[in-house]
Amino acid sequence: MIPSRERLGTPAIRSEETMYHYDAKTALEELQEDALLPHPVKLRDMILRVQLGPQEAQLMNAEFQDYLTRFGELQRVARVILEKLALGKAKN
């Protein structure tokens, strides 16, 4: 079970929208407040929900591909760090 934001000490987002994770404004607020990056699948869905012109869509796609690459790289770095930390002994 994934812990809720309230259990993690972060206030839950209360809004009229039932699928906040697909809302770009909420994702931007989370990024600014909690430094949370949206998962690439959610970011892609946000992009698909906005009408873009052809040139803007091409640019957005290139930026998304860069985001996707960097997101994966950061996940690999974080995994290595977390694996090392998981092997360590906790401080008393």
Side-chain angles (χ1 to χ4, degrees), residues 50-69:
V50 175
Q51 188 172 0
L52 302 170
Q55 293 165 338
E56 193 176 14
Q58 271 188 319
L59 178 60
M60 185 74 63
N61 184 57
E63 290 172 340
F64 175 72
Q65 293 302 317
D66 184 44
Y67 181 86
L68 188 60
T69 299

Side-chain angles (χ1 to χ4, degrees), residues 17-40:
E17 300 173 40
T18 57
M19 295 177 51
Y20 76 91
H21 56 278
Y22 289 118
D23 180 52
K25 290 179 185 175
T26 302
L28 183 58
E29 287 174 11
E30 288 180 346
L31 179 60
Q32 292 170 344
E33 294 171 4
D34 301 331
L36 295 175
L37 294 174
H39 190 279

Side-chain angles (χ1 to χ4, degrees), residues 1-2 8 21 23-24 31 37 45-46 54 56 60-61 66 69 73-74 76 79-80 82-83 88 91-92:
M1 182 172 140
I2 298 173
L8 294 174
H21 56 278
D23 180 52
L31 179 60
L37 294 174
D45 288 344
M46 289 179 219
E56 193 176 14
M60 185 74 63
N61 184 57
D66 184 44
T69 299
E73 290 169 356
L74 288 172
R76 285 188 286 281
R79 181 176 292 115
V80 170
L82 291 170
E83 286 171 350
K91 292 181 181 179
N92 292 336

